[in-house]
C-alpha cells in the first residue's frame, strides 16, 4: 500500500469551492502560497526552484473525497448535463481524489519556514499538497495536442460592472492585499462561475467567500453581472 505524505498546505484567496475557476491559469490575479510542512519545510528542498516560471502541484480533493467516485461525470464545460467517463475528464470525483494543477511561481520565501508564492491557482484554501514539480516547457507543452471536448479556453465574455457601493468598498480595502481586487473579481466572474443550467436566470443573486470578505453579485443579463457588495 502506497503511503502518501502531505508535504504542504495551500493558502488561497478562495475560501470555498463555489466560484473557483474550473481550470488553473484562467484567473491570473488569484494569488496565494504553498506552505511546506515539517519535515519538508527545508530551504534545501526548494533550492533551484527559482529558476522555473511555473510548477506542477499534485494535491488532494479534500472537500469532496468523502463523496467517492463515479465512472461517469457531467463536466461543466458540456453544460452540466452531458456525461463522459471520469478518466476523460478532470472531475474531482475520482477513484483516488488527486488533482493536478499548473501554477505560476512568483517567488520562494525561506525567512520563516518555506512558503512558495504562486498565482493563477484553482485551489481552495487549505488544500493538502502531496507533491511539487517544476514545469519544463520543452516536454510539458505539446504543440499539436488535442483537447477533446475542451479544445480551447472558455470564452471570458461576461461583462462585469461594479455598483457604486462595491466600487467604494474596493477602494477602501485595496491596500490590504497584493492582488488587484477589482481585477481579481472581474476575472472570476468573466468566466461565469454559476452552474450552466442557471446561466439564463436574470436577477439571480450569488455569493462566495473571497479572501476575508463575502463577495455578492447578481446576474443582470445573460452575459452581464453586477458586483453588488464586498461584505466584511
Amino acid at each position: 500500500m502506497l503511503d502518501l505524505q502531505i508535504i504542504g498546505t495551500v493558502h488561497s484567496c478562495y475560501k470555498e469551492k463555489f466560484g473557483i475557476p474550473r481550470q488553473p491559469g484562467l484567473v491570473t490575479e488569484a494569488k496565494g502560497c504553498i506552505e511546506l510542512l515539517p519535515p519538508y519545510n527545508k530551504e534545501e528542498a526548494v533550492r533551484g526552484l527559482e529558476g522555473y516560471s511555473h510548477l506542477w502541484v499534485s494535491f488532494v480533493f479534500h472537500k469532496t473525497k468523502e463523496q467517492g467516485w463515479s465512472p461517469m461525470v457531467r463536466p461543466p464545460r458540456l453544460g452540466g448535463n452531458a456525461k463522459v467517463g471520469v478518466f476523460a475528464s478532470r472531475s474531482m470525483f475520482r477513484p483516488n481524489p488527486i488533482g493536478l494543477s499548473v501554477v505560476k511561481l512568483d517567488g520562494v520565501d525561506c525567512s520563516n519556514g518555506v512558503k512558495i508564492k504562486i498565482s493563477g491557482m484553482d485551489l481552495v484554501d487549505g488544500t493538502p499538497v502531496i507533491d511539487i514539480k517544476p514545469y519544463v516547457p520543452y516536454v510539458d507543452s505539446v504543440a499539436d495536442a488535442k483537447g477533446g471536448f475542451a479544445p480551447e479556453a472558455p470564452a471570458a465574455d461576461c461583462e462585469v460592472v461594479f455598483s457604486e457601493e462595491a466600487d467604494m468598498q474596493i477602494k477602501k480595502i485595496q491596500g490590504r492585499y497584493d492582488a488587484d481586487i477589482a481585477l481579481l473579481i472581474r476575472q472570476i466572474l468573466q468566466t461565469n462561475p454559476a452552474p450552466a443550467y442557471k446561466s439564463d436566470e436574470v436577477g439571480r443573486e450569488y455569493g462566495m467567500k473571497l479572501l476575508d470578505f463575502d463577495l455578492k453579485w447578481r446576474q443582470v443579463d445573460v452575459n452581464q453581472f453586477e458586483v453588488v457588495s464586498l461584505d466584511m
Side-chain angles (χ1 to χ4, degrees):
M1 178 66 72
L2 180 63
D3 184 19
L4 294 176
Q5 303 298 310
I6 304 302
I7 67 165
T9 302
V10 172
H11 298 287
S12 169
C13 59
Y14 302 116
K15 304 304 179 182
E16 57 188 14
K17 291 185 300 172
F18 179 67
I20 297 179
R22 298 181 179 110
Q23 298 295 338
L26 297 179
V27 178
T28 58
E29 201 64 16
K31 300 180 180 182
C33 74
I34 300 170
E35 182 177 6
L36 297 187
L37 302 175
Y40 313 106
N41 59 341
K42 301 182 184 300
E43 184 176 355
E44 304 97 290
V46 293
R47 187 172 298 165
L49 197 63
E50 67 280 356
Y52 298 90
S53 66
H54 291 75
L55 306 174
W56 287 110
V57 179
S58 301
F59 60 92
V60 178
F61 287 115
H62 67 301
K63 293 286 189 178
T64 57
K65 66 178 183 178
E66 300 302 326
Q67 298 178 44
W69 77 287
S70 174
M72 298 286 286
V73 296
R74 294 182 172 89
R77 191 66 178 272
L78 294 178
N81 290 317
K83 289 185 176 183
V84 300
V86 65
F87 298 129
S89 79
R90 296 193 179 190
S91 169
M92 60 193 71
F93 302 108
R94 318 190 72 79
N96 294 302
I98 296 173
L100 182 66
S101 283
V102 60
V103 298
K104 184 175 180 295
L105 173 61
D106 293 327
V108 180
D109 180 2
C110 297
S111 60
N112 183 20
V114 177
K115 295 182 177 66
I116 302 171
K117 299 178 181 180
I118 60 175
S119 59
M121 71 174 80
D122 60 344
L123 304 169
V124 69
D125 193 55
T127 292
V129 174
I130 56 176
D131 200 14
I132 298 168
K133 292 183 176 70
Y135 179 94
V136 181
Y138 82 87
V139 67
D140 290 338
S141 177
V142 182
D144 58 351
K146 293 183 178 180
F149 61 80
E152 57 189 20
D157 56 1
C158 290
E159 182 184 3
V160 179
V161 297
F162 294 83
S163 70
E164 183 177 348
E165 178 182 357
D167 189 54
M168 291 178 61
Q169 289 173 320
I170 289 172
K171 291 177 181 177
K172 184 177 180 179
I173 67 173
Q174 176 58 65
R176 303 180 191 176
Y177 312 102
D178 292 333
D180 182 326
I181 299 303
L183 178 58
L184 173 62
I185 293 171
R186 191 181 301 278
Q187 288 182 338
I188 292 171
L189 300 189
Q190 279 179 333
T191 58
N192 196 348
Y197 61 88
K198 295 182 179 179
S199 62
D200 60 350
E201 294 186 9
V202 174
R204 186 179 180 88
E205 294 191 355
Y206 298 92
M208 65 179 289
K209 187 74 174 177
L210 186 64
L211 293 166
D212 57 354
F213 56 82
D214 291 315
L215 175 65
K216 295 182 180 179
W217 72 95
R218 67 184 183 92
Q219 186 160 353
V220 295
D221 205 342
V222 174
N223 287 311
Q224 185 183 64
F225 292 111
E226 179 188 35
V227 179
V228 177
S229 65
L230 289 69
D231 296 337
M232 298 296 181

